[in-house]
Amino acid sequence: GVTSRGVEALRSFIALRSVRWVLISVYPTSEAYAGLQDRRREVLWVGGGLFVVASILAWLMSGWLLRPLRRLRIVMDRHTSDPDLPMEPSSFGSAELSDLVIAYNAQASRRREFEDRLKASERRMQDVTNNIPAGIAHIDTDRRYTFANARSGLDAGGDPHALIGCTMEEVRGGELYAAVELQVARALQGETVSFETSELDEQGRTHHYQSNYVPNRDNLGQVRGFYAMTFDITALKEAQALQARVEERLRAITHNLP
């Protein structure tokens, strides 16, 4: 209980036989439990110290156990930038990591084979399209070139690779782009468009073109751009004009025959 002075204390009672008195003994708890509290503090300090030491040892042990995995990650990062870097399965010190390296090497080999086939296919497609007497290009929904063959580059006055990322308006100029803007919009709406245009070169000669815009759709049917194939039909138009003039002369001659 608490004494009249506000001190917590232990009390014990005993009745005296010789007289009718009760002997009361009061012992402050701070003195009674002083040794126990000291032991308690010692236990807390020792427990805390052991916890800290155990945590440090566990951290060091986990780091030591994870060394092969860290080394494997470093080697994989290097291998990503340098595919020819060798990765020996036996150099990582455990059967599990060796199996993981073997599986990674197999996957990396298949990826390189796929990339080689893809690059070869792209080269073949580029070679084929470069030798077609037409300008072939792919334009995405932002109206930017994502592919252009050699003829497209010549028609635009530059290297076809320089067209990639440029918009049609940047390549063709505002006036020429305005002439095909409606057809571009129709192609991006999913419509196949065929039309003819005429342009003047620097020498003042008129060139005639026939263009076909074919929508490019993904697996869900969404339009992701369109393919543009443009033929120079100037020679055909000039031949047709020549034929028309010859026929006109013949009609004039026949009409004036007696």
Side-chain angles (χ1 to χ4, degrees):
V2 181
T3 66
S4 60
R5 296 179 180 179
V7 178
E8 291 188 359
L10 297 175
R11 290 186 175 90
S12 64
F13 304 88
I14 186 172
L16 299 178
R17 294 180 180 179
S18 58
V19 293
R20 293 182 178 180
W21 289 358
V22 176
L23 183 62
I24 302 174
S25 176
V26 178
Y27 193 36
T29 55
S30 60
E31 297 180 10
Y33 296 135
L36 183 60
Q37 291 176 350
D38 290 340
R39 298 294 180 274
R40 181 182 179 185
R41 283 192 292 270
E42 290 176 0
V43 169
L44 290 175
W45 277 105
V46 171
L50 290 175
F51 175 77
V52 171
V53 172
S55 299
I56 294 174
L57 290 175
W59 178 73
L60 293 174
M61 181 63 70
S62 63
W64 183 80
L65 292 174
L66 292 175
R67 283 186 307 167
L69 284 177
R70 284 200 298 270
R71 179 169 171 266
L72 178 61
R73 180 182 61 81
I74 293 172
V75 173
M76 284 183 172
D77 290 341
R78 292 176 179 173
H79 190 266
T80 301
S81 58
D82 184 7
D84 295 328
L85 182 68
M87 291 182 61
E88 295 295 336
S90 59
S91 63
F92 292 93
S94 71
E96 292 80 5
L97 289 181
S98 296
D99 292 340
L100 180 60
V101 172
I102 292 173
Y104 177 83
N105 285 338
Q107 183 181 17
S109 178
R110 289 194 295 269
R111 184 186 64 189
R112 285 195 298 270
E113 291 176 359
F114 174 78
E115 290 175 349
D116 291 342
R117 290 197 299 268
L118 180 61
K119 290 178 181 179
S121 177
E122 291 176 349
R123 285 194 299 269
R124 286 194 296 270
M125 183 181 69
Q126 190 75 52
D127 291 340
V128 170
T129 56
N130 285 343
N131 288 281
I132 293 177
I136 300 175
H138 179 269
I139 293 91
D140 63 16
T141 52
D142 293 327
R143 309 189 182 195
R144 295 184 180 275
Y145 285 85
T146 61
F147 172 82
N149 70 343
R151 185 59 182 269
S152 295
L154 292 175
D155 290 342
D159 181 5
H161 295 94
L163 303 182
I164 306 305
C166 297
T167 64
M168 293 185 70
E169 186 172 5
E170 291 171 344
V171 173
R172 300 176 65 88
E175 183 178 352
L176 294 179
Y177 175 71
V180 300
E181 187 173 9
L182 177 61
Q183 286 75 14
V184 170
R186 290 169 59 189
L188 291 176
Q189 291 173 0
E191 182 181 351
T192 298
V193 184
S194 181
F195 59 96
E196 294 182 4
T197 56
S198 299
E199 302 175 8
L200 288 175
D201 61 17
E202 296 177 353
Q203 288 75 34
R205 182 187 176 190
T206 301
H207 290 266
H208 303 276
Y209 299 95
Q210 180 181 0
S211 297
N212 298 278
Y213 291 170
V214 181
N216 168 221
R217 301 178 184 272
D218 60 16
N219 294 333
L220 298 178
Q222 299 293 322
V223 177
R224 297 304 181 188
F226 65 91
Y227 298 100
M229 180 176 291
T230 302
F231 294 92
D232 187 342
I233 58 172
T234 302
L236 175 63
K237 288 293 185 180
E238 290 177 347
Q240 290 175 343
L242 176 60
Q243 181 180 0
R245 290 195 296 271
V246 171
E247 291 176 351
E248 182 64 25
R249 291 196 190 99
L250 289 175
R251 282 195 295 270
I253 291 172
T254 56
H255 288 165
N256 289 291
L257 289 176

